[in-house]
C-alpha cells in the first residue's frame, strides 16, 4: 500500500517549489560538451577564493576527523571585534540561508505571518511557508521595497519582516533614513530581518550599516554572508547579528556543528584579508561599468544595482534567450520565479567573462 506522500507533507510545504539554483558549469559541460563556459548566474565572486583563505584551509584539513567547534569561538571573536558587538550577539549559519531559516523556525508557525516585498529574495517565501506561516507580499515600488506599504501591511499576527538591502535580484537599495524611518514604525514585537548579503559591495554612499542600528532596535536581526564579496560560496558560512536574547533563541534551533571546520577557518582568514576584499569591490566596480556600457550599446535597459549583479530587461522571451545563451556557453539566471519574466539576472564577472556575455547577446539579439 502506498500513499500520496506529497499530500502528507506539512500544508505549507505542499505549496512550495524547490529552490532553483544557477546551473552548475559541470552540468552544462555534460549536456553540451562545451569547452569554455562562463557562469554569471549565482552572484559569486569572480576573483576566486582569497589566497589567505586557501592557506587556512590547508591547515584545517589535518583535523577533518574531528567535529568542528560548534560554537565557532574564533570566528565569532573575529567578527565581534570587527563589528564592535559582543560574541553573544552572533549566530553562525551554514550560509546566511541557514540563519534566515533559523529565524523563521524560531518566530513563525501556523497562525502567524511574515511580511516581505514582491521581487524579494526567494528564500523568504520558502522559509515562511515551510513553517506553515502566512506570507504577506507587498507590491514593490520601482522594483524596490516600498517600506511605507510594508509597515502598513504588518498585521496582528505578523511576527517577522524580511528586508533585503540591497535586494536580490533587483539590486535596489534603501538609504539609512528610509531604514530608520521604517524601524521606527515597526512594533517592537515584530522581528525585522535586514538581509545584508551584499553589504560589502554596497557600503558607503548612504547605505545603512544595519549592525550600527542594533543598539537602538532590539527587534532587529542583521544577516551577512561570506558567499559573495568574501568569495567563499562553496563553504557555506553566514551569520546573524542581533540582541543577546534573539541570538540565544536562534541558537536553540541551530543544528549542532552547522558550520564546517573548513568554513570556520577560511572565513576567519578572509575576514582579515582586507586586500582581497578591496580587490573584490574594485573588480565589481569595473565589471559593473563594463556591463552597463555594453547593455547601453545594445539598447538594453537595466535596474540600477548596488550589488554584484544586474537585472537586465529584454523584449524577447527570456526563457528562450536563456537557453540560447547556454548554447553560447554563458550561464545567466532567468528570474521568472521572482515575478520578473522580462528580466535576466547577470552577475558581474571578470572582464573577459563580461565580454563573453555581451558578445553572445550581440550575436543573438
Ligand atoms: C546570496 C544571498 C543570500 C545567502 O547566501 P548564503 O550563501 O546562504 O550566505 C542571502 N540573501 C540574499 C539576498 C542573497 O542574495
Amino acid at each position: 500500500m502506498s500513499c500520496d506522500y506529497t499530500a502528507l507533507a506539512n500544508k505549507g510545504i505542499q505549496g512550495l517549489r524547490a529552490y532553483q539554483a544557477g546551473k552548475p558549469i559541470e552540468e552544462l559541460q555534460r549536456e553540451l560538451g562545451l569547452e569554455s563556459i562562463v557562469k554569471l548566474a549565482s552572484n559569486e565572486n569572480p576573483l576566486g577564493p582569497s589566497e589567505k583563505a586557501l592557506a587556512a584551509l590547508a591547515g584545517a584539513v589535518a583535523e577533518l576527523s574531528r567535529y568542528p567547534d560548534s560554537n565557532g569561538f574564533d570566528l565569532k571573536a573575529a567578527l565581534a571585534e570587527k563589528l564592535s558587538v559582543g560574541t553573544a550577539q552572533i549566530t553562525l549559519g551554514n550560509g546566511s540561508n541557514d540563519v534566515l531559516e533559523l529565524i523563521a523556525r524560531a518566530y513563525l508557525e501556523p497562525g502567524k505571518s511574515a511580511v516581505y516585498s514582491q521581487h524579494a529574495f526567494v528564500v523568504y517565501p520558502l522559509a515562511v511557508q515551510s513553517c506553515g506561516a502566512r506570507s504577506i507580499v507587498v507590491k514593490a515600488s520601482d522594483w524596490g521595497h516600498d517600506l511605507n506599504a510594508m509597515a502598513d501591511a504588518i498585521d496582528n499576527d505578523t511576527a517577522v519582516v524580511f528586508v533585503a538591502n540591497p535586494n536580490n535580484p533587483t539590486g535596489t537599495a534603501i538609504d539609512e533614513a528610509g531604514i530608520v524611518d521604517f524601524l521606527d514604525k515597526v512594533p517592537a514585537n515584530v522581528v525585522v530581518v535586514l538581509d545584508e548579503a551584499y553589504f560589502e559591495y554596497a557600503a558607503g554612499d548612504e547605505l545603512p550599516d544595519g549592525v550600527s542600528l542594533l543598539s537602538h532596535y532590539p527587534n532587529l536581526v542583521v544577516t551577512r554572508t561570506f558567499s559573495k564579496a568574501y568569495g567563499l560560496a562553496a563553504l557555506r558560512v553566514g551569520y546573524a547579528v542581533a540582541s543577546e536574547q534573539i541570538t540565544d533563541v536562534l541558537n536553540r534551533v541551530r543544528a549542532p556543528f552547522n558550520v564546517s571546520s573548513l568554513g570556520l577557518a577560511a572565513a576567519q582568514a578572509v575576514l582579515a584579508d582586507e586586500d582581497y576584499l578591496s580587490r573584490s569591490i574594485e573588480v565589481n566596480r569595473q565589471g559593473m561599468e563594463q556591463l552597463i556600457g555594453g547593455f547601453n550599446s545594445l539598447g538594453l535597459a537595466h535596474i540600477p544595482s548596488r550589488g554584484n549583479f544586474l537585472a537586465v530587461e529584454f523584449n524577447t522571451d527570456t526563457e528562450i534567450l536563456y537557453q540560447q545563451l547556454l548554447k553560447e556557453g554563458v550561464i545567466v539566471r532567468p528570474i521568472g520565479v521572482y515575478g520578473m519574466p522580462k528580466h535576466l539576472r547577470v552577475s558581474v564577472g571578470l572582464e573577459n567573462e563580461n565580454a563573453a556575455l555581451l558578445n553572445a547577446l550581440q550575436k543573438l539579439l
Side-chain angles (χ1 to χ4, degrees):
M1 274 280 279
S2 175
C3 296
D4 181 347
Y5 294 101
T6 307
L8 290 173
N10 294 348
K11 270 224 169 54
I13 295 175
Q14 289 181 33
L16 288 179
R17 220 186 107 187
Y19 178 80
Q20 304 282 314
K23 196 181 205 42
I25 290 176
E26 297 72 18
E27 187 175 306
L28 188 61
Q29 252 155 2
R30 276 198 303 275
E31 289 172 357
L32 298 181
L34 295 173
E35 297 238 315
S36 124
I37 291 176
V38 167
K39 184 185 177 205
L40 300 174
S42 301
N43 302 345
E44 295 149 339
N45 190 324
L47 277 181
S50 130
E51 292 293 333
K52 294 208 167 103
L54 291 177
L57 278 180
V61 161
E63 296 295 321
L64 278 186
S65 56
R66 304 258 176 223
Y67 279 106
D69 173 5
S70 189
N71 289 318
F73 181 90
D74 291 331
L75 178 57
K76 277 192 198 170
L79 283 168
E81 157 108 33
K82 185 166 187 115
L83 303 173
S84 303
V85 298
T87 51
Q89 292 181 266
I90 300 171
T91 308
L92 299 179
N94 195 254
S96 56
N97 200 121
D98 185 26
V99 177
L100 295 170
E101 278 172 18
L102 295 181
I103 298 163
R105 204 134 56 85
Y107 288 100
L108 294 173
E109 61 188 317
K112 291 194 175 170
S113 68
V115 171
Y116 52 85
S117 176
Q118 180 190 21
H119 314 308
F121 190 42
V122 79
V123 164
Y124 310 151
L126 286 175
V128 172
Q129 278 157 248
S130 54
C131 294
R134 180 169 65 98
S135 288
I136 302 176
V137 186
V138 176
K139 203 167 171 304
S141 146
D142 253 344
W143 300 109
H145 292 38
D146 182 343
L147 288 185
N148 288 328
M150 287 177 73
D152 288 343
I154 292 172
D155 213 337
N156 287 333
D157 65 358
T158 300
V160 181
V161 181
F162 292 96
V163 175
N165 200 38
N167 182 47
N168 170 18
T170 58
T172 51
I174 306 149
D175 65 11
E176 170 136 14
I179 292 284
V180 166
D181 180 56
F182 176 71
L183 289 168
D184 285 336
K185 285 184 195 152
V186 177
N189 65 335
V190 176
V191 171
V192 177
V193 180
L194 192 57
D195 178 345
E196 296 187 335
Y198 301 95
F199 176 78
E200 297 81 9
Y201 286 119
D205 289 344
E206 310 277 299
L207 194 97
D209 172 348
V211 173
S212 74
L213 299 173
L214 286 168
S215 52
H216 283 89
Y217 301 98
N219 58 335
L220 179 61
V221 181
V222 179
T223 63
R224 292 192 188 160
T225 181
F226 285 94
S227 299
K228 309 281 162 60
Y230 282 112
L232 293 177
L235 288 175
R236 317 299 306 121
V237 190
Y239 58 96
V241 194
S243 69
E244 291 190 12
Q245 205 173 26
I246 291 179
T247 304
D248 172 54
V249 168
L250 297 182
N251 273 286
R252 293 181 194 192
V253 286
R254 185 175 64 84
F257 315 112
N258 63 331
V259 185
S260 75
S261 47
L262 300 182
L264 292 171
Q268 197 188 333
V270 75
L271 195 62
D273 192 348
E274 281 171 23
D275 176 55
Y276 176 80
L277 186 65
S278 38
R279 272 189 297 132
S280 301
I281 292 166
E282 180 55 20
V283 162
N284 188 57
R285 196 191 59 73
Q286 289 175 5
M288 184 75 87
E289 211 172 272
Q290 181 191 1
L291 284 176
I292 289 174
F295 293 139
N296 287 345
S297 314
L298 291 167
L300 297 170
H302 68 274
I303 303 171
S305 167
R306 297 291 298 274
N308 63 342
F309 55 88
L310 285 165
V312 188
E313 190 173 344
F314 296 88
N315 50 21
T316 49
D317 185 325
T318 53
E319 196 47 50
I320 294 173
L321 184 58
Y322 165 68
Q323 297 293 342
Q324 290 173 322
L325 283 169
L326 288 181
K327 295 203 178 87
E328 299 295 322
V330 181
I331 312 174
V332 298
R333 192 70 157 269
I335 45 177
V337 289
Y338 287 90
M340 300 174 68
K342 293 194 154 162
H343 290 79
L344 289 175
R345 192 193 67 195
V346 304
S347 307
V348 176
L350 299 176
E351 190 177 3
N352 63 313
E353 298 173 318
N354 301 328
L357 167 71
L358 293 170
N359 289 338
L361 282 174
Q362 180 154 39
K363 180 176 157 189
L364 295 170
L365 292 175

